[in-house]
Amino acid sequence: MPTDHDDITAAIETRDRFGRHLRENESAEERLARFIQLQRTSYELLQASPKGFQHFLRRNLQSRRAEVIDGQWRPVSPDRCSCQT
């Protein structure tokens, strides 16, 4: 007998397959239009909350910090560093 977890997993897989099918049939213009709409919606969401927008900027700028080590620019954030030294 399938559990609720199995039902949820099957529903997610069905949704993902359907979404992949839709995206595979999109033209480049349609994909770009969808991307632009996602970016616009994300920006509107950030602007709706000034505190959230400030938090986003602070976190984003902090993760992009860099420093010079032995004459080379290296990211300060371990999330953006490809090699740990």
Side-chain angles (χ1 to χ4, degrees), residues 40-81:
R40 186 174 292 133
T41 303
S42 298
Y43 186 69
E44 289 169 359
L45 180 65
L46 281 173
Q47 284 189 319
S49 170
K51 245 178 122 174
F53 189 61
Q54 289 300 316
H55 177 73
F56 166 78
L57 287 177
R58 188 171 38 255
R59 188 185 70 216
N60 192 341
L61 292 174
Q62 184 176 7
S63 75
R64 294 178 184 273
R65 290 181 302 153
E67 62 187 359
V68 178
I69 300 174
D70 296 329
Q72 289 193 336
W73 286 96
R74 304 270 172 118
V76 173
S77 171
D79 296 337
R80 295 189 179 273
C81 189

Side-chain angles (χ1 to χ4, degrees), residues 12-53:
I12 290 171
E13 289 173 1
T14 301
R15 182 197 65 195
D16 290 346
R17 262 194 322 274
F18 180 71
R20 270 194 306 275
H21 176 71
L22 289 177
R23 287 188 299 276
E24 287 171 354
N25 294 326
E26 282 182 334
S27 67
E29 292 82 14
E30 291 170 328
R31 287 192 305 271
L32 185 58
R34 185 169 41 86
F35 176 73
I36 290 169
Q37 182 58 42
L38 285 171
Q39 291 291 329
R40 186 174 292 133
T41 303
S42 298
Y43 186 69
E44 289 169 359
L45 180 65
L46 281 173
Q47 284 189 319
S49 170
K51 245 178 122 174
F53 189 61

